């Protein structure tokens, strides 16, 4: 079973400018989500961003950044769904990679651990549900 983790991290936050790269406990906010994803049962951890600084931090912490997100998908009116679909379309077209499970990980939940991610995956795998929201 192929499990992809998708982390949307745009650079244009209006409420807290630069929030995804701001330090929390000495590390960028984004790093916590990447680290948890990499320790979990997720096979691939992809960060979708239009921002070079976010992309560099994502790579530094071990996430994949296979492309830069189009600017229109980083606008205030862009939906999370459109970002997820863009990643999945890119992965299928460019890498012939089509995951069985998508884990949507927002970087603004830094205290979510690999245990939380794995528990959600276990619920999904061991029941007759088709989605889990944490």
């Amino acid at each position: 079973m192929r499990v992809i983790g998708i982390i949307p991290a745009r650079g244009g936050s209006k409420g807290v400018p630069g929030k995804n790269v701001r330090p929390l406990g000495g590390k960028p906010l984004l790093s916590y989500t990447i680290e948890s994803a990499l320790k979990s049962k997720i096979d691939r951890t992809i960060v979708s961003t239009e921002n070079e600084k976010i992309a560099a931090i994502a790579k530094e912490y071990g996430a994949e950044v296979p492309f830069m997100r189009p600017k229109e998908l980083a606008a205030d009116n862009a939906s999370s769904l459109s970002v997820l679909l863009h990643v999945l379309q890119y992965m299928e077209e460019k890498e012939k990679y089509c995951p069985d499970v998508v884990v949507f990980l927002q970087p603004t939940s830094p205290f979510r651990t690999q245990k939380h991610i794995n528990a959600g995956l276990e619920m999904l795998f061991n029941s007759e549900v088709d989605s889990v929201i944490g």
Side-chain angles (χ1 to χ4, degrees):
M1 179 142 326
R2 291 173 293 189
V3 180
I4 189 172
I6 300 175
I7 304 170
R10 69 185 187 115
S13 172
K14 298 230 185 313
V16 181
K19 71 180 171 197
N20 291 312
V21 298
R22 289 183 98 166
L24 174 68
K27 300 189 307 189
L29 178 67
L30 174 64
S31 70
Y32 292 91
T33 296
I34 293 169
E35 290 172 341
S36 293
L38 292 174
K39 291 176 186 173
S40 76
K41 294 179 181 178
I42 292 172
D43 300 316
R44 296 183 70 179
T45 301
I46 308 291
V47 171
S48 173
T49 188
E50 85 297 354
N51 183 280
E52 293 289 344
K53 184 174 183 180
I54 290 173
I57 289 170
K59 291 175 186 176
E60 176 185 340
Y61 281 89
E64 296 178 54
V65 185
F67 57 84
M68 295 302 288
R69 187 191 313 173
K71 297 285 185 195
E72 63 271 12
L73 291 178
D76 288 343
N77 63 347
S79 69
S80 295
L81 178 59
S82 65
V83 172
L84 290 172
L85 291 174
H86 176 259
V87 172
L88 295 172
Q89 181 180 0
Y90 176 92
M91 299 303 287
E92 185 175 5
E93 288 177 4
K94 302 293 185 191
E95 298 187 19
K96 306 298 183 233
Y97 177 84
C98 187
D100 301 297
V101 175
V102 175
V103 180
F104 179 60
L105 300 166
Q106 296 190 27
T108 51
S109 297
F111 303 117
R112 174 208 326 98
T113 69
Q114 71 271 13
K115 291 178 185 175
H116 298 115
I117 296 168
N118 289 341
L121 289 170
E122 288 302 317
M123 279 187 234
L124 186 66
F125 298 152
N126 295 320
S127 65
E128 294 185 28
V129 300
D130 59 6
S131 63
V132 175
I133 298 174

